[in-house]
Amino acid sequence: AEDGIRDRDVTVQTCALPISKLRRTHYIGTVGDILGWDEQVNLPPDSGDQRAAQHSVMAELHHAAVTDPAIGALLTTLEAGTLGADERTVVKEARRDYDRATRLPADFVKEKAEHGSRSYHAWADARAKDDFPAFAPFLEKHLVLAKREAAYLGHGATPYDYYIDQFDPGMTAERITALFSELKTGLVPLVRRIAASPVKARRDLLKGCPVAAQEVFLKEVTAKLGFDYRRGRIDVAVHPFCSGTGSDTRMTTRYDPDDPLKALLGAIHETGHGLYEQGLPREHAGTALAQNAGMGVHESQSRLWENQVGRGRPFWKFFEPRFRELFPTAMAKVSSEELYLAINAVRPTLIRVDADEVTYNLHIILRFELEQRLFRGDLAVAGLPAAWRESSRELLGLEPRNDKEGVLQDVHWSGGAFGYFPSYCLGNMLASQLWYHALGLLPGLEDDFARGDFARLLGWLRTEVHARGRRLGLLELTRAVTGEELTPKYLLRYLSERYAGLYGVA
């Protein structure tokens, strides 16, 4: 109810905590989410100026609601009193959000929102035309705005750490560098062994798969995994994403008639995000008890479903007959082993979202290292395309032929989402750590998948991850669920176990 939160171990009345005010800010924010979703899915191409103005107005309204002095006063009163564990979580996170918002001037918030909308359209146009110089001024302004924001929040000397913390509280560039270094040490030799293997997967086997049939299969699969289409939907966008809340979850994918696995695995990935949002306790909407624990945890959910589950033999034992039924011509001369090898193809690619899961993390390391250089100031925006090409040659052994398949390929920088990319790799680490822990606790789990039953895994994730809300951050949640610190060793173990045998390089 609007007048309070009541759960098994929490009772917080609005006479003490401004729950209704927190919820009001939450719902205003969801309106902005829908505008953003519509912008990438339905907005007419020449309507960007009005949408930018709409974003600006909504950001202004949201900022005014978040910075309501009554929230600050009530939080101060609560902080001086005695609180239960969940009450402390609500107050602590509300204070974090409130302080951040009140230190940002309203005109700055408005300017940033409007620039983000204009920048997205500039990026989309520049990407289509392979014209990085046209986008460069927008990215330069994003960097200026990012450093201003960090300074407002007292992080003028460490702006990049400020942004990392926004996505994964408690993480720093130094800590991520250590994790990535250990991962890279184990990963690069595996990639080289697979590249030298005589076993070669073919992703070009599945040509001529009608988009209409792909849509049918994709929706059947995602519903079977547990996505609730009465509280969500899936559409098409230039760059796949998932947005919204558990009450209204919007996913997108993109289709290629000659590569049905692209849309399918992308949709399973977004379904992992959607399942997390739908698993957050809606009765606590607007508070930290119903908010995700950060993007690293969010990515662990999407990557676990996409990779450990969606690329596994048990999953395809169940779904392959239906796949053959929907694509009889494309599958006529493709054996089950050829299909499985195609699903788990390891082949360096220039495009991150199309990357196999063995080399995917190298794409993240590339972006992380370039972002650090941008924020340190030893790389100018104008030099970014050349730096990207150099890093791509070094890490992937490939050089982009143009900026569309290089520096312009990702949507993130168009919105000023710096510090986001590391979350993908951190999520891969946590996904593998959760996976092995779940296998130990849930005997016969993969036998469930072979029968088309994913309920036990989803139920375990609901309890161990989703229901916790924002009570624990990435590092604390990892310790609480698995009993260990976050480590890349399980990701390296998983990749070796699945791919070394498949490619005969054990």
Side-chain angles (χ1 to χ4, degrees):
E2 281 293 306
D3 289 335
I5 291 179
R6 291 187 182 275
D7 203 351
R8 54 184 182 273
D9 61 349
V10 60
T11 300
V12 183
Q13 301 297 326
T14 50
C15 60
L17 183 67
I19 297 296
S20 62
K21 292 184 180 294
L22 293 179
R23 284 190 171 145
R24 181 171 183 270
T25 66
H26 165 71
Y27 291 128
I28 291 174
T30 64
V31 175
D33 290 341
I34 294 298
L35 285 174
W37 167 84
D38 179 76
E39 189 167 15
Q40 297 192 48
V41 174
N42 294 320
L43 192 72
D46 292 334
S47 301
D49 285 347
Q50 175 168 293
R51 183 51 48 89
Q54 291 169 332
H55 277 301
S56 177
V57 170
M58 290 307 303
E60 196 172 13
L61 286 172
H62 187 259
H63 186 255
V66 171
T67 58
D68 184 343
I71 295 177
L74 286 167
L75 290 175
T76 299
T77 300
L78 280 167
E79 288 162 342
T82 301
L83 301 173
D86 278 356
E87 294 168 340
R88 283 196 302 272
T89 296
V90 172
V91 172
K92 174 188 172 185
E93 295 301 326
R95 169 61 74 185
R96 172 186 168 95
D97 295 341
Y98 180 78
D99 285 352
R100 179 173 180 268
T102 54
R103 293 176 187 175
L104 294 178
D107 59 349
F108 172 82
V109 173
K110 181 179 178 181
E111 179 185 7
K112 186 179 178 183
E114 188 166 346
H115 179 68
S117 181
R118 295 185 189 282
S119 181
Y120 167 74
H121 293 286
W123 164 79
D125 188 58
R127 183 177 182 273
K129 297 176 180 177
D130 186 29
D131 185 5
F132 179 77
F135 175 63
F138 292 88
L139 182 54
E140 288 171 345
K141 183 171 181 179
H142 267 310
L143 279 168
V144 171
L145 292 171
K147 291 177 180 179
R148 281 176 57 194
E149 179 172 332
Y152 284 132
L153 273 295
H155 295 275
T158 55
Y160 191 48
D161 278 350
Y162 164 77
Y163 273 89
I164 288 173
D165 185 75
Q166 298 309 302
F167 294 109
D168 290 298
M171 295 301 293
T172 64
E174 182 180 9
R175 192 158 196 170
I176 292 171
T177 297
L179 289 168
F180 284 9
S181 177
E182 183 181 347
L183 176 64
K184 198 167 157 181
T185 299
L187 184 60
V188 171
L190 176 62
V191 171
R192 289 174 179 167
R193 292 200 305 272
I194 293 175
S197 170
V199 178
K200 301 298 180 185
R202 291 184 58 192
R203 281 289 294 266
D204 61 348
L205 292 172
L206 306 174
K207 292 185 177 294
C209 298
V211 168
Q214 290 189 48
E215 291 175 339
V216 170
F217 186 66
L218 183 153
K219 194 161 185 179
E220 288 179 1
V221 169
T222 54
K224 194 74 173 174
L225 295 179
F227 186 78
D228 183 356
Y229 277 99
R230 293 184 63 84
R231 294 191 287 139
R233 56 182 292 134
I234 189 164
D235 294 273
V236 177
V238 173
H239 192 292
F241 67 93
C242 178
S243 69
T245 68
S247 297
D248 184 358
T249 310
R250 309 293 179 101
M251 304 191 299
T252 67
T253 191
R254 57 187 176 189
Y255 295 97
D256 181 344
D258 294 327
D259 189 358
L261 298 177
K262 182 186 298 184
L264 174 64
L265 292 168
I268 294 175
H269 177 99
E270 301 307 336
T271 295
H273 286 304
L275 291 173
Y276 187 12
E277 289 296 324
Q278 291 184 342
L280 294 168
R282 285 182 291 163
E283 65 270 23
H284 299 319
T287 77
L289 303 180
Q291 294 168 350
N292 68 73
M295 290 315 303
V297 177
H298 229 309
E299 287 299 326
S300 78
Q301 302 306 284
S302 61
R303 300 299 281 183
L304 192 155
W305 286 103
E306 175 191 359
N307 295 326
Q308 279 83 1
V309 177
R311 295 182 191 270
R313 287 189 187 276
F315 177 95
W316 283 96
K317 182 178 180 180
F318 179 78
F319 281 113
E320 183 181 340
R322 179 58 170 155
F323 191 78
R324 290 184 177 277
E325 180 183 348
L326 287 168
F327 308 111
T329 302
M331 289 294 293
K333 297 181 180 180
V334 179
S335 70
S336 294
E337 192 61 25
E338 287 173 325
L339 173 63
Y340 185 66
L341 193 58
I343 292 162
N344 292 284
V346 178
R347 182 179 59 193
T349 177
L350 290 162
I351 307 302
R352 177 186 63 85
V353 295
D354 295 335
D356 60 81
E357 63 171 331
V358 179
T359 60
Y360 182 90
N361 298 290
L362 299 178
H363 287 264
I364 301 307
I365 292 170
L366 181 154
R367 288 153 176 78
F368 172 64
E369 291 176 348
L370 290 179
E371 283 191 339
Q372 284 184 293
R373 293 179 61 190
L374 285 171
F375 274 83
R376 284 198 306 261
D378 55 41
L379 175 62
V381 168
L384 196 52
W388 186 291
R389 289 192 293 271
E390 181 181 351
S391 293
S392 184
R393 283 196 306 270
E394 177 188 339
L395 290 169
L396 300 169
L398 300 172
E399 182 173 341
R401 294 165 297 180
N402 52 57
D403 290 334
K404 182 177 180 179
E405 60 184 21
V407 70
L408 284 172
Q409 67 179 270
D410 291 303
V411 71
H412 304 65
W413 288 343
S414 76
F418 304 112
Y420 189 136
F421 283 118
S423 298
Y424 290 113
C425 190
L426 296 171
N428 283 336
M429 292 180 192
L430 178 56
S432 297
Q433 206 158 328
L434 290 172
W435 173 247
Y436 283 109
H437 198 66
L439 288 178
L441 292 174
L442 305 173
L445 184 61
E446 291 187 286
D447 294 334
D448 289 0
F449 302 165
R451 296 190 298 271
D453 183 355
F454 303 92
R456 275 207 300 161
L457 177 60
L458 180 57
W460 184 77
L461 291 171
R462 288 272 194 256
T463 299
E464 296 295 334
V465 179
H466 307 176
R468 294 179 188 268
R470 214 202 298 182
R471 290 176 175 89
L472 303 174
L474 169 64
L475 299 176
E476 295 83 6
L477 186 142
T478 303
R479 287 194 295 269
V481 178
T482 72
E484 296 184 61
E485 297 293 334
L486 181 66
T487 170
K489 72 178 183 181
Y490 290 103
L491 177 57
L492 290 168
R493 173 186 169 185
Y494 159 71
L495 292 174
S496 180
E497 287 181 355
R498 173 161 293 181
Y499 290 94
L502 190 59
Y503 284 86
V505 296

